[in-house]
Amino acid sequence: MVVVEKILSFQVGLLINVWYRLINTFSVPDAEILKEQIEKEIENKEDKGLK
């Protein structure tokens, strides 16, 4: 169970880094789409009890 938590946290962290790069390059539409995906990933992670 701990391994799954680390993988999910790592994946969400990578998505946040990509999102940050999109914001810095003024790719607003792409950043908004990715933000929605990140929020869903975090919500799914919390639903599984993996905080």
Side-chain angles (χ1 to χ4, degrees), residues 1 3 5 10 18 25 27 32 34 36-38 47 49-50:
M1 193 69 124
V3 173
E5 180 179 351
F10 177 72
V18 172
T25 59
S27 298
E32 289 175 344
L34 189 55
E36 291 176 18
Q37 181 182 351
I38 292 168
D47 287 344
L50 303 173

Side-chain angles (χ1 to χ4, degrees), residues 20-31:
Y20 180 76
R21 280 189 253 135
L22 289 173
I23 291 169
N24 281 334
T25 59
F26 301 102
S27 298
V28 176
D30 292 333

Side-chain angles (χ1 to χ4, degrees), residues 5-45:
E5 180 179 351
K6 288 183 180 180
I7 291 171
L8 291 175
S9 296
F10 177 72
Q11 290 171 340
V12 172
L14 287 176
L15 289 174
I16 291 171
N17 284 331
V18 172
W19 178 57
Y20 180 76
R21 280 189 253 135
L22 289 173
I23 291 169
N24 281 334
T25 59
F26 301 102
S27 298
V28 176
D30 292 333
E32 289 175 344
I33 292 168
L34 189 55
K35 180 182 180 226
E36 291 176 18
Q37 181 182 351
I38 292 168
E39 289 173 340
K40 288 178 185 176
E41 291 290 334
I42 291 171
E43 187 176 304
N44 288 338
K45 184 177 170 208

